[in-house]
Amino acid sequence: MRFSGYNHRLEIQEPVATQDTTTGELVNTWTTICTVWAAIEPQVVRSNELERGDQILGKTYTYLRMRWSPFLDRVTQAHRGKHQGTVFNFEDIAHTKLAQRELVILA
């Protein structure tokens, strides 16, 4: 397994409901639960192409790869990643539990 591509610092964030002090309304905010080294690999998936007028638009996904750790086993689709101001919403998570070497997230 190749670990050399982990050259980006990725914040793993989870949603937290807090109460607005002015209105008393519950507001969702995000808190960073950990920061990991990750590989960020944009991919264009042609199977999800859309036709709009004369253009064919492919959906772009990003693979986020990081070393597996027991702490990352709790990451779900409710979490998100953040790197240099770019937010990645987690769509699918592959916990490679058999080898417990790498976590791959489709965002």
Side-chain angles (χ1 to χ4, degrees):
M1 182 155 303
R2 183 185 80 214
F3 292 113
S4 61
Y6 301 152
N7 55 358
H8 300 283
R9 297 299 283 166
L10 180 71
E11 296 176 42
I12 305 293
Q13 298 181 328
E14 68 181 0
V16 176
T18 57
Q19 191 168 18
D20 186 305
T21 55
T22 308
T23 63
E25 183 179 352
L26 284 179
V27 178
N28 285 330
T29 60
W30 293 90
T31 185
T32 300
I33 58 171
C34 68
T35 303
V36 297
W37 286 103
I40 300 175
E41 303 168 346
Q43 304 288 324
V44 175
V45 180
R46 296 197 175 275
S47 63
N48 287 342
E49 287 180 345
L50 304 170
E51 289 188 37
R52 289 208 178 136
D54 296 337
Q55 297 179 335
I56 296 177
L57 305 172
K59 176 124 172 114
T60 302
Y61 290 101
T62 302
Y63 288 109
L64 307 172
R65 293 186 306 108
M66 60 209 75
R67 277 188 193 229
W68 180 89
S69 74
F71 182 78
L72 290 175
D73 241 3
R74 68 180 261 205
V75 174
T76 66
Q77 292 175 339
H79 292 80
R80 73 179 190 181
K82 188 174 181 184
H83 172 67
Q84 294 181 348
T86 301
V87 173
F88 298 98
N89 295 313
F90 296 168
E91 293 193 22
D92 194 18
I93 300 170
H95 292 278
T96 53
K97 291 182 180 182
L98 295 176
Q100 292 186 335
R101 299 184 93 182
E102 187 174 51
L103 177 70
V104 180
I105 299 173
L106 179 67

